[in-house]
Amino acid sequence: MTQMTQTLTTTPAADDLVVPFHCDRCGALAKVRVVLASGSDLVFCGHHAREYDTKLRDIAVDIIETDGE
């Protein structure tokens, strides 16, 4: 008979996690996160954020730019 040992682990809160996001268009490091009314979001590198700026502002609830860190 095999005996299993239980281990208690904790998962850090979502705010404690730092996850690099990548542009939904090209895969480069994301610089802008666009929050939509549905609650979903899109992320873009600086190049694609500038390219789609006008259209994104029409559909965005919030646009969050990273601080470059």
Side-chain angles (χ1 to χ4, degrees):
M1 176 186 275
T2 305
Q3 189 173 19
M4 297 169 87
T5 305
Q6 291 183 343
T7 305
L8 178 62
T9 59
T10 59
T11 304
D15 292 341
D16 295 337
L17 297 176
V18 177
V19 179
F21 290 96
H22 296 276
C23 179
D24 289 334
R25 187 75 175 122
C26 70
L29 191 60
K31 299 293 182 184
V32 176
R33 177 175 169 235
V34 180
V35 180
L36 305 175
S38 66
S40 60
D41 62 359
L42 301 168
V43 291
F44 294 101
C45 64
H47 165 80
H48 284 111
R50 286 187 298 276
E51 182 177 341
Y52 302 124
D53 181 67
T54 303
K55 291 178 184 177
L56 292 174
R57 291 188 184 281
D58 288 343
I59 63 170
V61 171
D62 195 10
I63 297 178
I64 304 160
E65 295 183 30
T66 64
D67 56 7
E69 291 182 24

